[in-house]
Amino acid sequence: MQELPVMNATEQQEREYLEEIKEKLTLAVKRVDDAVRQYSTELRQKKQYIHEHQSGMDDADMVAAEQSINRMAYTGEGAVARKRRLLKLVQSPYFGRIDFDTSKQGSTPVYIGVHSFLDEQQRQNLIYDWRAPISSLFYDFELGDASYASPTGPVQGRIALKRQYRIRDGRMEFMLDSDVNIHDDVLQRELAKSSDDKMKNIVATIQRDQNAVIRNEDASVMVIQGVAGSGKTSIALHRIAFLLYRFRDTIRAQDILIISPNKVFADYISNVLPELGEEHIPELGMEELAADLLQGQYQFQTFFEQVSALLEKHDAAFIERIRFKSSAEFLTQLNQYLLHVENNYFSVADLRVGRTVVPGVFIQQKFKAYHRVPLLKRFGQVANDVRAYVRDKADRKLTGGEKAAIGEGIPRMFRYATVLEFYRDFYRWVGRPELFRFDGQRPLEYADVFALIYLRIRMEGLTAYEHVKHLLVDEMQDYTPVQYAVLSRLFHCRKTILGDVSQTVNPYSASSAETIERVFPQADVVKLYRSYRSTVEITAFAQRISPNPHIMPLERHGPEPAVTRYGSPAEELQAIQALVTAFRNSGNHSLGIICKTLRQAAQVHEALQGPGVHLLTEESTAFKEGVIITTAHLAKGLEFDEVIVPMASARNYHTEVDKSMLYVACTRAMHRLTLTYTGELTGFLSA
């Protein structure tokens, strides 16, 4: 039997079909509006009725009326949420289509979007939610034989067509036919322009690797180590959205927690997730977590302040303290110290209470028996056992004074009373007392914050964050083994951890996937080497700063990065001003001017001030398009169409930390990169 003609075969037919769908969606919005108005009128009338007749209503009537009001309000809220989803669909109804042939009757087109849409007149699904079982065909299969799991069992068939669309503000920018689904703007645009089979095959490989990560339901800990521009964040967010859908009966958006490096990044990614049809997901910075766990007991340096201090001046002792406390060995030594404390710091003696003597051996036995209880929490339980012992021996009730004497006597047998004293003692025990600098006058150094929290968890116990059902940790390279040990004890849920060891902003405290595996031996580790965010020219340029033999750039070309010398700082600023003007006329959306320090960023901002020019600081909470002036530290995880790196001189970029910053700054650029400097060019680029 011959195949039926393909529905909407041409681009023109697709554009006409899009207009039809938008009309139906607009009509559905109007119907929901009418329904909301009706609910609201009925609700008002019901409340009015109760107000006028409440004197004649008994308890049962009142309860029934209240239930009726709650029902109406709930239905009304549902209608409002439905309207919000429909309005989102009007902007971009669908992004994908597959034609799935299950019989000799020809193919059925399945359009896929962020929400499903049912034509109520025809009782027909016009758009399927991207997480619906049938949509898995779009992600998991290429053209040819395919199947998906339905409630009634597997459905076998053949995918005859696979198509993707870019629809913004209700307008189709382009469509492309491709074997696999591409969920990344850069890749979509490249494929829409290119008819090269080699390019299609490479993109198909990237996409298959990404989907395997997104749809992995089994891993309790997933570590994604990807080079700059490999789409790590996009994968992680799609993974979260997929898990929210896949386990929708047991996990909601508010049950997930994202640990992100700064408020701007959190805002930037929260703009990505709603695109997938999800609500806002809570996020927390490591510093906020620390403040919560230390309960305001200590003022402490932030990670941003630590990095800023490293950038301002080279202090060998400070670097040594950071390096020591960022190693896996440091965590091992903390654990060995805790064992040493347990075995040697409880100096037990006989305890006299009235005429009764409690043998030290009894007290020691009880202390050991509570080995599952944090060290400093055992004294209360041991004291209760001692009181019971004395009561039995003396055969009488204890006086208040005797009870208190026991309660105070047991902890006195322990060498120290506070976690801070133990932490200070740890450095004496390892023979490096100079590595802990804290006198109560200055804030606690950032490298000490999580080590102190770790000791506190082990010695006093801290309540775990039981409400969190999935933890997403981004920029994994910036956290140390002791920080992961803290996360491991606080969050007993599944985790997705992602980052790139080349993009660390502090090379003295960087963690790789291998380091993290030592804390989470059960982790599934995925490594992504294919970079497609930046052009080949920009990727090759960044490789001069920090070579990575594994990186595989996608063949996407653009202008060579420009490195230009100027006679004076004033001339350099003038040139940057001209580049900003050129950007405004280029049709590109975002320009990042990425400096080494915040002081430099503020200077550039002052010189360039004007509409659409924004300074991004650690206090900023929102990501804006246009011209963004910021530091490499704060630009991590962000991307820009164009990037300018000012002051790329040998005087400004010369230490290991500077080198990391320069690499991060250059790899933020997607299409165009310009470096400006006065004096001598940084040695990291002169080779």
Side-chain angles (χ1 to χ4, degrees), residues 196-395:
D196 177 11
D197 280 345
K198 185 181 167 204
M199 167 73 98
K200 285 182 177 172
N201 291 338
I202 291 169
V203 173
T205 309
I206 293 172
Q207 205 51 48
R208 257 177 249 121
D209 293 347
Q210 293 190 348
N211 276 321
V213 179
I214 290 166
R215 292 174 170 258
N216 181 323
E217 295 172 28
D218 306 319
S220 61
V221 178
M222 177 152 256
V223 178
I224 307 167
Q225 180 163 292
V227 297
S230 56
K232 296 178 294 293
T233 304
S234 168
I235 292 171
L237 297 178
H238 276 83
R239 174 164 167 72
I240 291 294
F242 169 72
L243 293 172
L244 280 172
Y245 185 78
R246 179 71 185 77
F247 301 105
R248 55 192 175 281
D249 297 336
T250 53
I251 185 167
R252 292 163 307 163
Q254 61 262 42
D255 301 329
I256 289 173
L257 180 65
I258 296 176
I259 291 190
S260 61
N262 57 56
K263 295 272 189 299
V264 174
F265 182 71
D267 174 68
Y268 175 74
I269 60 174
S270 71
N271 289 329
V272 178
L273 259 192
E275 290 307 304
L276 304 176
E278 287 311 331
E279 61 235 84
H280 176 70
I281 286 183
E283 78 263 327
L284 202 61
M286 271 290 194
E287 280 87 359
E288 291 171 284
L289 184 67
D292 185 21
L293 296 171
L294 292 173
Q295 297 163 333
Q297 267 182 291
Y298 306 101
Q299 286 289 303
F300 60 84
Q301 179 188 44
T302 64
F303 182 55
F304 184 78
E305 286 163 349
Q306 183 199 65
V307 172
S308 299
L310 287 167
L311 288 168
E312 293 297 343
K313 74 177 198 337
H314 184 85
D315 176 343
F318 182 48
I319 290 169
E320 173 58 14
R321 292 197 295 279
I322 293 171
R323 210 194 284 272
F324 178 79
K325 295 166 196 182
S326 304
S327 65
E329 184 56 27
F330 174 64
L331 179 59
T332 305
Q333 287 176 315
L334 276 175
N335 287 328
Q336 287 167 345
Y337 171 71
L338 284 162
L339 207 60
H340 173 75
V341 167
E342 166 120 18
N343 293 326
N344 300 290
Y345 280 21
F346 194 43
S347 308
V348 186
D350 294 350
L351 183 68
R352 180 176 287 283
V353 183
R355 290 185 182 168
T356 308
V357 174
V358 184
V361 176
F362 173 82
I363 298 170
Q364 180 80 43
Q365 251 175 356
K366 291 296 173 190
F367 181 75
K368 290 280 189 202
Y370 292 115
H371 64 94
R372 290 186 182 281
V373 178
L375 283 167
L376 297 177
K377 282 274 186 282
R378 294 183 199 175
F379 304 131
Q381 284 163 297
V382 173
N384 283 337
D385 291 339
V386 170
R387 287 178 194 125
Y389 179 93
V390 174
R391 205 168 41 242
D392 291 348
K393 291 288 180 200
D395 198 20

Side-chain angles (χ1 to χ4, degrees), residues 37 44 66 84 91 198 329 397 431 618 631 650 671:
R37 262 196 301 279
R44 207 169 43 250
E66 212 167 277
R84 202 169 55 237
Q91 293 296 302
K198 185 181 167 204
E329 184 56 27
K397 280 189 171 178
E618 76 272 34
T631 66
H671 310 298

Side-chain angles (χ1 to χ4, degrees), residues 4-66:
L4 296 174
V6 176
M7 173 182 150
N8 302 333
T10 68
E11 188 164 336
Q12 185 51 40
Q13 287 170 328
E14 284 283 19
R15 289 183 188 281
E16 286 163 11
Y17 182 69
L18 173 62
E19 293 309 314
E20 274 176 48
I21 292 288
K22 275 160 53 188
E23 265 176 50
K24 288 186 168 162
L25 284 164
T26 309
L27 207 64
V29 170
K30 187 182 172 303
R31 275 203 297 275
V32 173
D33 269 343
D34 294 343
V36 169
R37 262 196 301 279
Q38 190 183 336
Y39 288 131
S40 134
T41 306
E42 285 175 10
L43 203 55
R44 207 169 43 250
Q45 288 169 348
K46 191 79 173 170
K47 285 179 175 174
Q48 184 68 30
Y49 176 83
I50 293 171
H51 180 68
E52 288 168 2
H53 297 85
Q54 59 186 6
S55 55
M57 293 170 83
D58 62 16
D59 285 354
D61 288 340
M62 283 302 274
V63 167
E66 212 167 277

Side-chain angles (χ1 to χ4, degrees), residues 450-477:
F450 282 87
L452 189 62
I453 289 170
Y454 181 69
L455 273 199
R456 188 166 175 196
I457 291 172
R458 296 290 310 272
M459 302 192 87
E460 290 182 350
L462 279 174
T463 319
Y465 288 67
E466 296 295 355
H467 67 284
V468 177
K469 294 185 180 166
H470 197 102
L471 182 72
L472 175 71
V473 181
D474 197 30
E475 302 296 347
M476 71 182 193
Q477 69 279 1

